[in-house]
Amino acid sequence: MRAEKTGCTPRRFLTRLPLALLGSLLMGVGLSFNACAGLGNDPYGLVYDGLRQLLGLNPAQAGICAAAVNGIMILLLLIVGRRYLNIGTVAAVVPYQLCVQIGTALYGLLFPTEQLPVRIIALILGCLLLYTGIAVFLTADIGMEPITGVIMVLKDRLGWSFARSKWLLDFSMLGLGLLLGGKAGAVTLLTAVIAGPSIDLIYQFILGKLKGGLDRERRSEDAAQNRAALSS
């Protein structure tokens, strides 16, 4: 996986901000679906759940713990991966609690029963939404959400693929989540294995579908910059 490394101009930020916010919404809803299904969390949800229980918060407040973990990741990126921070990173962190609350409300509407088959469907949908949200946010290319930024730093430093770098961070977070007392299950290990390749696949699919529009946007920006340079 490779995001564009062009500068985030004001025009690009404004045109792609809705896409980044959509990615944040999908991530928050996916996280809440996974938590509400109660079949075990993904490695990051495991950390959020452990922190939530440690702080005595209810499931709808998991976004607070997610924001705290993301804040720590941002501090880490300020030290070792500043190139992956941008104003767009704020779009992933600030609305996260609201997105999780929306997801919790939607879960109650879409999955009113606690039967196991229904919970399995909710979990699958939650993972799909979460992975799609990360891929959509990456496609917006106005800054990376903090966790993906840390993965990209590992990728750069170790010379590994995105999937392999994500596995390293995922299993590290899995261990931390278990230590914090987060609710684990069979799906916890499964998501740690499939998340990286799944996000990569979805990202490539979305990028392929939007490539024409992104190329036109880039050519338009280049033309505007050239006109500005000629008039100066």
Side-chain angles (χ1 to χ4, degrees):
M1 183 182 296
R2 184 168 57 88
E4 300 173 68
K5 292 297 183 289
T6 52
C8 182
T9 64
R11 179 179 177 182
R12 173 174 294 187
F13 176 76
L14 291 175
T15 57
R16 296 193 181 187
L17 179 59
L19 190 61
L21 291 175
L22 174 62
S24 293
L25 176 62
L26 293 175
M27 285 188 281
V29 172
L31 171 68
S32 63
F33 277 22
N34 290 347
C36 291
L39 295 174
N41 295 281
D42 68 277
Y44 303 92
L46 195 67
V47 174
Y48 305 154
D49 187 56
L51 281 176
R52 180 188 64 77
Q53 294 185 57
L54 196 63
L55 297 174
L57 302 176
N58 63 56
Q61 295 175 302
I64 296 174
C65 299
V69 173
N70 282 326
I72 295 173
M73 296 288 187
I74 288 174
L75 289 176
L76 182 61
L77 288 174
L78 282 171
I79 298 172
V80 298
R82 192 166 298 183
R83 62 184 292 202
Y84 293 115
L85 285 178
N86 198 303
I87 188 171
T89 307
V90 178
V93 177
V94 172
Y96 211 72
Q97 170 63 13
L98 175 61
C99 295
V100 171
Q101 290 177 332
I102 291 173
T104 303
L106 283 175
Y107 185 91
L109 292 173
L110 296 175
F111 309 104
T113 68
E114 290 296 318
Q115 296 178 352
L116 182 60
V118 174
R119 292 163 63 196
I120 292 175
I121 292 172
L123 177 71
I124 294 172
L125 180 58
C127 289
L128 181 60
L129 289 172
L130 179 61
Y131 301 159
T132 301
I134 295 173
V136 167
F137 194 92
L138 281 171
T139 304
D141 193 31
I142 59 172
M144 292 189 176
E145 54 91 19
I147 291 174
T148 304
V150 172
I151 294 170
M152 293 302 289
V153 169
L154 291 173
K155 177 179 178 294
D156 294 341
R157 296 294 179 94
L158 300 174
W160 291 357
S161 66
F162 178 87
R164 189 178 179 188
S165 301
K166 181 168 174 54
W167 285 335
L168 175 60
L169 186 59
D170 283 359
F171 281 101
S172 298
M173 296 296 283
L174 191 154
L176 177 60
L178 290 174
L179 288 176
L180 290 172
K183 184 174 182 179
V187 296
T188 304
L189 183 60
L190 177 63
T191 54
V193 173
I194 69 171
S198 299
I199 293 169
D200 203 0
L201 182 65
I202 296 170
Y203 172 76
Q204 296 298 337
F205 175 79
I206 295 174
L207 197 62
K209 291 294 183 181
L210 297 180
K211 188 177 188 302
L214 296 176
D215 287 344
R216 285 193 297 273
E217 179 192 61
R218 189 180 300 108
R219 288 195 297 269
S220 176
E221 288 183 355
D222 290 343
Q225 291 174 357
N226 290 336
R227 286 195 298 271
L230 290 173
S231 63
S232 62

